[in-house]
Amino acid sequence: MLLPINKNKVAGFIVAALGTTIHGLAFGNSSVPETHHIAPDKVSSYIKLFEKQFARNRLVVDGESCPLSLTELDFGDDMLDLTAECNDKSIRFEVNTNESRAENVVFTIPSNDSSFHNLPLTFYSKKKGIKIFEDQAGNQIFNGYLYDQKEESSKWVKVVFNDSFIEAGNSELKVKGNKAVLSGVLGTKSYIQIKDLIEQHPEVKTLEFDFVPGSLNDDINMHTGRLIRNAGLNTYISSTGEAYSGGVDLFAAGKVRQYQSGAKLGVHSWCCKGDKPANLLNESDKAHWSQITYFNEILINGSDFYFYTINAADFDDIHIMKKNELLDHNLVTEFLPN
Protein backbone atom coordinates (compact mmCIF):
# COMPACT_ATOMS: atom_id res chain seq x y z
CA MET A 1 0.00 0.00 0.00
CA LEU A 2 0.97 3.64 -0.14
CA LEU A 3 3.31 5.48 2.17
CA PRO A 4 1.63 6.74 5.36
CA ILE A 5 0.99 10.22 3.93
CA ASN A 6 -2.04 12.15 2.76
CA LYS A 7 -1.30 12.75 -0.89
CA ASN A 8 -4.60 14.53 -1.44
CA LYS A 9 -2.94 17.66 -0.06
CA VAL A 10 -0.42 17.70 -2.89
CA ALA A 11 -2.66 18.54 -5.82
CA GLY A 12 -0.81 18.82 -9.09
CA PHE A 13 2.22 16.86 -7.91
CA ILE A 14 0.81 13.30 -7.71
CA VAL A 15 -0.41 11.19 -10.57
CA ALA A 16 -4.19 11.35 -10.91
CA ALA A 17 -6.27 8.31 -10.03
CA LEU A 18 -6.93 6.10 -13.03
CA GLY A 19 -10.27 4.56 -13.97
CA THR A 20 -11.31 1.14 -12.73
CA THR A 21 -11.32 -1.78 -15.16
CA ILE A 22 -13.59 -4.70 -14.31
CA HIS A 23 -13.46 -8.12 -15.94
CA GLY A 24 -16.04 -9.97 -13.85
CA LEU A 25 -14.10 -12.88 -12.33
CA ALA A 26 -14.20 -14.23 -8.78
CA PHE A 27 -11.08 -14.91 -6.67
CA GLY A 28 -10.38 -16.68 -3.40
CA ASN A 29 -12.89 -16.57 -0.61
CA SER A 30 -14.14 -13.09 -1.47
CA SER A 31 -16.25 -12.98 -4.61
CA VAL A 32 -15.44 -9.65 -6.24
CA PRO A 33 -15.00 -8.82 -9.90
CA GLU A 34 -11.38 -8.85 -11.06
CA THR A 35 -10.45 -5.18 -10.81
CA HIS A 36 -7.44 -3.17 -11.95
CA HIS A 37 -6.85 0.56 -12.02
CA ILE A 38 -4.36 -0.15 -14.81
CA ALA A 39 -5.63 -3.01 -16.98
CA PRO A 40 -2.96 -5.74 -17.46
CA ASP A 41 -2.99 -5.25 -21.24
CA LYS A 42 -2.44 -1.50 -20.77
CA VAL A 43 0.64 -1.73 -18.53
CA SER A 44 3.08 -1.60 -21.44
CA SER A 45 1.58 1.59 -22.84
CA TYR A 46 1.41 3.04 -19.32
CA ILE A 47 5.16 2.46 -18.90
CA LYS A 48 5.95 3.99 -22.29
CA LEU A 49 4.00 7.13 -21.40
CA PHE A 50 5.71 7.28 -18.01
CA GLU A 51 9.17 7.05 -19.61
CA LYS A 52 8.29 9.84 -22.04
CA GLN A 53 7.10 12.06 -19.21
CA PHE A 54 10.01 11.18 -16.94
CA ALA A 55 12.52 12.29 -19.59
CA ARG A 56 11.10 15.82 -19.25
CA ASN A 57 12.22 16.12 -15.62
CA ARG A 58 15.28 18.38 -15.81
CA LEU A 59 17.52 20.62 -13.77
CA VAL A 60 18.97 23.56 -15.70
CA VAL A 61 21.79 25.63 -14.17
CA ASP A 62 23.06 28.64 -16.13
CA GLY A 63 21.91 26.97 -19.34
CA GLU A 64 23.43 23.54 -18.58
CA SER A 65 20.76 20.84 -18.47
CA CYS A 66 20.74 17.34 -16.99
CA PRO A 67 18.08 14.72 -16.08
CA LEU A 68 16.52 15.02 -12.65
CA SER A 69 15.67 12.19 -10.26
CA LEU A 70 14.06 12.07 -6.82
CA THR A 71 16.20 11.24 -3.77
CA GLU A 72 14.08 12.29 -0.77
CA LEU A 73 10.45 13.24 -0.30
CA ASP A 74 8.42 14.40 2.69
CA PHE A 75 4.87 15.69 3.07
CA GLY A 76 3.32 17.99 5.64
CA ASP A 77 0.22 20.15 5.91
CA ASP A 78 0.13 21.99 2.59
CA MET A 79 3.89 21.45 2.20
CA LEU A 80 6.01 19.31 -0.11
CA ASP A 81 9.68 18.97 0.84
CA LEU A 82 11.87 17.21 -1.68
CA THR A 83 15.48 16.70 -2.65
CA ALA A 84 16.57 15.80 -6.16
CA GLU A 85 19.85 14.94 -7.86
CA CYS A 86 21.22 15.73 -11.28
CA ASN A 87 24.67 14.29 -12.00
CA ASP A 88 26.85 15.79 -9.22
CA LYS A 89 24.38 18.53 -8.33
CA SER A 90 21.58 18.46 -5.79
CA ILE A 91 18.66 20.76 -5.07
CA ARG A 92 16.28 20.83 -2.12
CA PHE A 93 13.17 22.94 -1.84
CA GLU A 94 9.98 23.32 0.13
CA VAL A 95 6.78 24.00 -1.74
CA ASN A 96 3.66 25.45 -0.18
CA THR A 97 1.01 23.83 -2.36
CA ASN A 98 -1.28 26.82 -1.85
CA GLU A 99 1.32 29.32 -3.07
CA SER A 100 3.10 30.01 -6.34
CA ARG A 101 6.59 30.20 -4.88
CA ALA A 102 9.08 27.76 -3.44
CA GLU A 103 10.84 28.69 -0.21
CA ASN A 104 13.99 27.41 1.50
CA VAL A 105 15.57 26.43 -1.81
CA VAL A 106 19.12 25.12 -1.44
CA PHE A 107 21.22 24.28 -4.49
CA THR A 108 24.59 22.56 -4.01
CA ILE A 109 27.38 21.88 -6.50
CA PRO A 110 30.96 20.65 -5.96
CA SER A 111 33.62 23.34 -6.05
CA ASN A 112 36.38 23.04 -8.64
CA ASP A 113 38.33 25.79 -6.95
CA SER A 114 41.20 24.26 -4.95
CA SER A 115 41.13 27.20 -2.55
CA PHE A 116 37.87 25.81 -1.23
CA HIS A 117 39.39 22.34 -0.86
CA ASN A 118 36.67 21.04 -3.18
CA LEU A 119 33.95 21.66 -0.60
CA PRO A 120 30.45 22.07 -2.05
CA LEU A 121 29.19 25.54 -2.89
CA THR A 122 25.68 26.25 -1.64
CA PHE A 123 23.26 28.72 -3.20
CA TYR A 124 19.89 29.62 -1.75
CA SER A 125 16.83 31.68 -2.54
CA LYS A 126 16.55 35.32 -1.49
CA LYS A 127 13.42 36.81 0.06
CA LYS A 128 10.48 35.70 -2.11
CA GLY A 129 11.97 32.42 -3.28
CA ILE A 130 11.62 30.87 -6.72
CA LYS A 131 8.57 31.37 -8.89
CA ILE A 132 6.44 28.31 -9.72
CA PHE A 133 4.15 27.92 -12.71
CA GLU A 134 2.71 25.14 -14.86
CA ASP A 135 3.15 24.85 -18.62
CA GLN A 136 0.59 23.55 -21.12
CA ALA A 137 2.04 20.03 -20.95
CA GLY A 138 1.40 19.83 -17.21
CA ASN A 139 5.03 20.28 -16.16
CA GLN A 140 5.76 22.22 -12.98
CA ILE A 141 8.40 24.89 -13.62
CA PHE A 142 10.59 26.34 -10.86
CA ASN A 143 12.41 29.38 -12.18
CA GLY A 144 14.74 31.98 -10.64
CA TYR A 145 18.13 32.99 -9.30
CA LEU A 146 19.81 31.42 -6.29
CA TYR A 147 22.41 33.49 -4.50
CA ASP A 148 25.47 32.69 -2.37
CA GLN A 149 25.89 35.65 -0.05
CA LYS A 150 29.32 34.56 1.18
CA GLU A 151 30.77 34.33 -2.32
CA GLU A 152 28.60 37.14 -3.70
CA SER A 153 27.69 35.09 -6.74
CA SER A 154 24.44 33.76 -8.16
CA LYS A 155 23.16 30.95 -10.37
CA TRP A 156 20.12 30.95 -12.61
CA VAL A 157 18.28 27.71 -11.85
CA LYS A 158 15.32 26.13 -13.58
CA VAL A 159 13.67 22.92 -12.39
CA VAL A 160 11.15 21.11 -14.59
CA PHE A 161 9.17 18.17 -13.26
CA ASN A 162 5.80 16.48 -13.62
CA ASP A 163 3.80 13.75 -11.91
CA SER A 164 6.21 11.08 -13.14
CA PHE A 165 9.01 12.62 -11.05
CA ILE A 166 7.29 11.60 -7.81
CA GLU A 167 5.41 8.59 -9.18
CA ALA A 168 8.78 7.05 -10.11
CA GLY A 169 9.89 6.60 -6.50
CA ASN A 170 13.60 6.27 -5.77
CA SER A 171 14.12 2.52 -5.47
CA GLU A 172 17.44 0.83 -6.14
CA LEU A 173 18.02 -2.78 -7.17
CA LYS A 174 21.47 -4.33 -6.86
CA VAL A 175 22.34 -7.80 -8.13
CA LYS A 176 24.54 -9.88 -5.82
CA GLY A 177 25.05 -13.36 -7.20
CA ASN A 178 21.74 -15.20 -7.22
CA LYS A 179 20.06 -12.44 -5.19
CA ALA A 180 18.91 -8.92 -5.97
CA VAL A 181 18.67 -6.43 -3.10
CA LEU A 182 15.78 -3.95 -3.21
CA SER A 183 15.78 -0.66 -1.28
CA GLY A 184 14.07 2.72 -1.39
CA VAL A 185 10.58 4.03 -2.08
CA LEU A 186 8.67 1.98 -4.63
CA GLY A 187 7.10 3.47 -7.73
CA THR A 188 6.88 3.05 -11.49
CA LYS A 189 10.67 2.96 -11.61
CA SER A 190 10.52 -0.22 -9.48
CA TYR A 191 8.33 -1.97 -12.05
CA ILE A 192 10.89 -1.24 -14.76
CA GLN A 193 13.75 -2.39 -12.51
CA ILE A 194 12.06 -5.71 -11.67
CA LYS A 195 11.09 -6.32 -15.29
CA ASP A 196 14.68 -5.69 -16.44
CA LEU A 197 15.99 -7.92 -13.64
CA ILE A 198 13.83 -10.84 -14.73
CA GLU A 199 14.79 -10.42 -18.39
CA GLN A 200 18.51 -9.75 -17.93
CA HIS A 201 19.44 -11.81 -14.85
CA PRO A 202 17.93 -15.29 -15.03
CA GLU A 203 20.46 -16.38 -12.39
CA VAL A 204 18.64 -14.32 -9.74
CA LYS A 205 16.20 -16.46 -7.78
CA THR A 206 15.60 -14.32 -4.67
CA LEU A 207 14.60 -10.72 -4.10
CA GLU A 208 15.98 -9.42 -0.79
CA PHE A 209 14.28 -6.50 0.98
CA ASP A 210 16.65 -4.04 2.61
CA PHE A 211 14.78 -0.86 3.61
CA VAL A 212 11.58 -0.41 1.62
CA PRO A 213 9.33 2.20 3.29
CA GLY A 214 6.38 2.00 0.92
CA SER A 215 4.99 2.85 -2.49
CA LEU A 216 4.06 6.08 -4.25
CA ASN A 217 1.98 4.30 -6.89
CA ASP A 218 -0.11 1.37 -5.68
CA ASP A 219 -1.66 0.82 -9.10
CA ILE A 220 1.64 -0.12 -10.73
CA ASN A 221 3.05 -1.65 -7.54
CA MET A 222 0.51 -4.47 -7.73
CA HIS A 223 1.65 -5.21 -11.28
CA THR A 224 5.24 -5.24 -10.00
CA GLY A 225 4.13 -7.91 -7.54
CA ARG A 226 2.63 -9.90 -10.40
CA LEU A 227 5.98 -9.77 -12.20
CA ILE A 228 7.64 -11.27 -9.12
CA ARG A 229 5.06 -14.03 -8.73
CA ASN A 230 4.89 -14.92 -12.43
CA ALA A 231 8.71 -15.16 -12.58
CA GLY A 232 8.70 -17.53 -9.60
CA LEU A 233 11.04 -15.29 -7.59
CA ASN A 234 11.41 -15.91 -3.87
CA THR A 235 11.41 -13.02 -1.38
CA TYR A 236 13.65 -12.70 1.67
CA ILE A 237 14.04 -10.19 4.48
CA SER A 238 16.99 -10.37 6.88
CA SER A 239 17.07 -9.54 10.58
CA THR A 240 18.02 -5.95 9.73
CA GLY A 241 15.56 -5.58 6.88
CA GLU A 242 12.46 -3.37 6.98
CA ALA A 243 9.52 -3.34 4.58
CA TYR A 244 6.40 -1.29 5.11
CA SER A 245 3.10 -0.75 3.34
CA GLY A 246 3.66 -1.30 -0.41
CA GLY A 247 6.93 -3.04 0.47
CA VAL A 248 4.93 -5.74 2.25
CA ASP A 249 2.68 -6.00 -0.81
CA LEU A 250 5.76 -6.91 -2.88
CA PHE A 251 7.20 -9.23 -0.25
CA ALA A 252 3.90 -11.14 -0.31
CA ALA A 253 4.39 -11.87 -4.03
CA GLY A 254 7.34 -14.20 -3.45
CA LYS A 255 6.88 -17.86 -4.29
CA VAL A 256 8.82 -18.72 -1.13
CA ARG A 257 8.80 -15.97 1.49
CA GLN A 258 11.69 -16.15 3.94
CA TYR A 259 11.79 -14.10 7.13
CA GLN A 260 14.74 -13.84 9.49
CA SER A 261 13.96 -13.14 13.12
CA GLY A 262 14.26 -9.42 13.84
CA ALA A 263 13.01 -8.21 10.46
CA LYS A 264 10.20 -5.65 10.37
CA LEU A 265 7.13 -5.99 8.17
CA GLY A 266 4.70 -3.12 8.72
CA VAL A 267 1.14 -2.61 7.49
CA HIS A 268 -1.58 0.03 7.72
CA SER A 269 -4.67 1.47 6.05
CA TRP A 270 -4.59 3.68 2.97
CA CYS A 271 -6.01 7.11 2.35
CA CYS A 272 -8.54 7.90 0.98
CA LYS A 273 -11.74 7.58 -0.99
CA GLY A 274 -13.14 11.07 -0.71
CA ASP A 275 -12.37 11.93 2.88
CA LYS A 276 -12.63 8.36 4.17
CA PRO A 277 -9.61 6.11 4.76
CA ALA A 278 -9.91 2.48 3.73
CA ASN A 279 -10.64 1.18 7.23
CA LEU A 280 -13.75 3.38 7.48
CA LEU A 281 -15.22 2.24 4.18
CA ASN A 282 -17.81 -0.53 4.02
CA GLU A 283 -16.16 -3.87 3.24
CA SER A 284 -18.31 -4.14 0.11
CA ASP A 285 -17.03 -0.82 -1.24
CA LYS A 286 -15.59 -1.09 -4.76
CA ALA A 287 -12.53 0.88 -3.64
CA HIS A 288 -11.25 -2.35 -2.05
CA TRP A 289 -11.62 -4.50 -5.16
CA SER A 290 -8.27 -3.95 -6.87
CA GLN A 291 -6.35 -4.81 -3.68
CA ILE A 292 -8.57 -7.82 -2.98
CA THR A 293 -7.95 -8.99 -6.56
CA TYR A 294 -4.20 -8.71 -6.04
CA PHE A 295 -3.96 -10.41 -2.66
CA ASN A 296 -6.27 -13.24 -3.69
CA GLU A 297 -3.91 -13.92 -6.60
CA ILE A 298 -0.83 -14.28 -4.42
CA LEU A 299 -1.98 -15.45 -0.97
CA ILE A 300 -4.30 -18.05 0.49
CA ASN A 301 -7.23 -16.10 1.94
CA GLY A 302 -5.74 -12.96 0.48
CA SER A 303 -8.84 -10.85 1.09
CA ASP A 304 -8.62 -11.67 4.80
CA PHE A 305 -5.04 -10.42 4.82
CA TYR A 306 -6.03 -7.23 3.02
CA PHE A 307 -8.76 -6.37 5.52
CA TYR A 308 -6.40 -7.24 8.37
CA THR A 309 -3.83 -4.72 7.05
CA ILE A 310 -6.24 -1.80 6.71
CA ASN A 311 -7.53 -2.35 10.24
CA ALA A 312 -4.11 -2.90 11.81
CA ALA A 313 -3.20 0.80 11.86
CA ASP A 314 -4.44 4.13 10.54
CA PHE A 315 -3.08 5.34 7.21
CA ASP A 316 -0.66 7.74 8.95
CA ASP A 317 0.57 5.09 11.37
CA ILE A 318 2.16 1.66 11.02
CA HIS A 319 1.76 -1.74 12.70
CA ILE A 320 4.74 -4.10 12.87
CA MET A 321 3.45 -7.63 12.35
CA LYS A 322 4.10 -10.17 15.07
CA LYS A 323 5.14 -13.77 14.38
CA ASN A 324 1.68 -15.16 15.06
CA GLU A 325 0.21 -12.65 12.59
CA LEU A 326 2.77 -13.60 9.95
CA LEU A 327 1.75 -17.23 10.45
CA ASP A 328 -2.01 -16.62 10.63
CA HIS A 329 -2.00 -14.81 7.28
CA ASN A 330 0.53 -17.07 5.57
CA LEU A 331 2.68 -14.05 4.77
CA VAL A 332 5.86 -15.96 5.63
CA THR A 333 6.48 -19.49 4.40
CA GLU A 334 9.86 -20.01 6.09
CA PHE A 335 11.19 -18.55 9.33
CA LEU A 336 14.97 -18.32 9.64
CA PRO A 337 16.91 -17.94 12.91
CA ASN A 338 18.84 -14.75 13.53
Side-chain angles (χ1 to χ4, degrees):
M1 271 165 264
L2 297 169
L3 291 164
I5 51 181
N6 185 349
K7 297 190 298 181
N8 292 335
K9 290 183 177 290
V10 198
F13 292 94
I14 302 297
V15 64
L18 299 173
T20 300
T21 302
I22 300 176
H23 299 285
L25 299 177
F27 285 84
N29 67 344
S30 180
S31 182
V32 301
E34 180 185 355
T35 305
H36 306 278
H37 291 296
I38 305 173
D41 62 351
K42 300 296 183 182
V43 173
S44 178
S45 58
Y46 181 92
I47 295 298
K48 287 179 181 178
L49 178 60
F50 163 81
E51 291 176 326
K52 182 178 179 180
Q53 292 175 331
F54 191 75
R56 296 173 181 156
N57 299 312
R58 312 290 294 181
L59 172 63
V60 183
V61 182
D62 283 348
E64 180 185 351
S65 175
C66 58
L68 191 68
S69 60
L70 178 70
T71 53
E72 294 182 22
L73 177 68
D74 190 23
F75 292 85
D77 290 340
D78 301 319
M79 292 298 295
L80 173 67
D81 185 350
L82 62 86
T83 304
E85 287 185 350
C86 179
N87 296 339
D88 56 355
K89 307 173 182 68
S90 69
I91 188 164
R92 175 185 176 273
F93 45 92
E94 294 179 3
V95 180
N96 185 323
T97 56
N98 295 321
E99 301 291 340
S100 59
R101 290 188 179 274
E103 304 295 340
N104 299 323
V105 181
V106 177
F107 169 65
T108 304
I109 58 173
S111 171
N112 294 320
D113 188 335
S114 60
S115 65
F116 292 104
H117 307 287
N118 291 321
L119 294 175
L121 297 178
T122 300
F123 298 77
Y124 53 90
S125 56
K126 294 178 68 177
K127 297 182 180 178
K128 295 183 179 180
I130 287 184
K131 183 180 179 182
I132 306 172
F133 62 95
E134 183 173 335
D135 67 13
Q136 293 182 343
N139 297 304
Q140 300 287 331
I141 312 294
F142 289 52
N143 206 351
Y145 282 92
L146 297 183
Y147 182 74
D148 190 322
Q149 187 175 25
K150 181 179 179 182
E151 302 307 324
E152 297 185 345
S153 60
S154 61
K155 293 279 186 182
W156 182 81
V157 175
K158 179 180 180 181
V159 179
V160 181
F161 73 90
N162 51 53
D163 289 341
S164 68
F165 174 72
I166 295 177
E167 176 194 332
N170 64 1
S171 61
E172 294 185 356
L173 193 61
K174 297 180 180 178
V175 175
K176 297 182 178 180
N178 64 353
K179 286 185 179 181
V181 181
L182 177 66
S183 60
V185 180
L186 303 171
T188 310
K189 180 180 176 182
S190 312
Y191 178 93
I192 297 170
Q193 290 169 332
I194 296 294
K195 186 174 185 293
D196 289 346
L197 173 76
I198 293 167
E199 293 174 352
Q200 299 171 16
H201 294 277
E203 75 279 8
V204 170
K205 306 300 180 185
T206 299
L207 184 63
E208 179 177 348
F209 287 68
D210 181 13
F211 176 67
V212 183
S215 164
L216 287 169
N217 185 351
D218 263 4
D219 296 338
I220 201 67
N221 194 53
M222 287 183 281
H223 287 297
T224 307
R226 292 180 176 100
L227 288 177
I228 293 169
R229 174 53 62 90
N230 292 338
L233 290 176
N234 303 320
T235 52
Y236 163 75
I237 187 165
S238 74
S239 60
T240 59
E242 299 179 43
Y244 302 101
S245 192
V248 175
D249 296 356
L250 284 198
F251 178 84
K255 182 179 180 181
V256 174
R257 302 177 292 281
Q258 296 178 314
Y259 171 95
Q260 188 175 41
S261 179
K264 294 180 180 179
L265 293 172
V267 296
H268 64 164
S269 184
W270 52 264
C271 182
C272 289
K273 178 183 178 181
D275 59 354
K276 281 190 176 182
N279 56 308
L280 296 184
L281 297 174
N282 190 294
E283 286 195 2
S284 62
D285 197 296
K286 293 180 180 180
H288 299 301
W289 287 4
S290 63
Q291 297 259 10
I292 291 174
T293 297
Y294 173 72
F295 283 113
N296 277 335
E297 288 178 30
I298 62 173
L299 292 176
I300 299 172
N301 298 326
S303 60
D304 291 343
F305 176 69
Y306 166 70
F307 284 113
Y308 154 77
T309 65
I310 65 173
N311 288 292
D314 290 337
F315 72 90
D316 56 356
D317 197 2
I318 205 79
H319 170 73
I320 307 300
M321 295 183 69
K322 300 176 177 64
K323 184 175 181 178
N324 67 298
E325 294 170 320
L326 298 171
L327 284 168
D328 289 346
H329 296 285
N330 195 38
L331 185 61
V332 171
T333 60
E334 185 177 352
F335 288 88
L336 305 176
N338 191 337

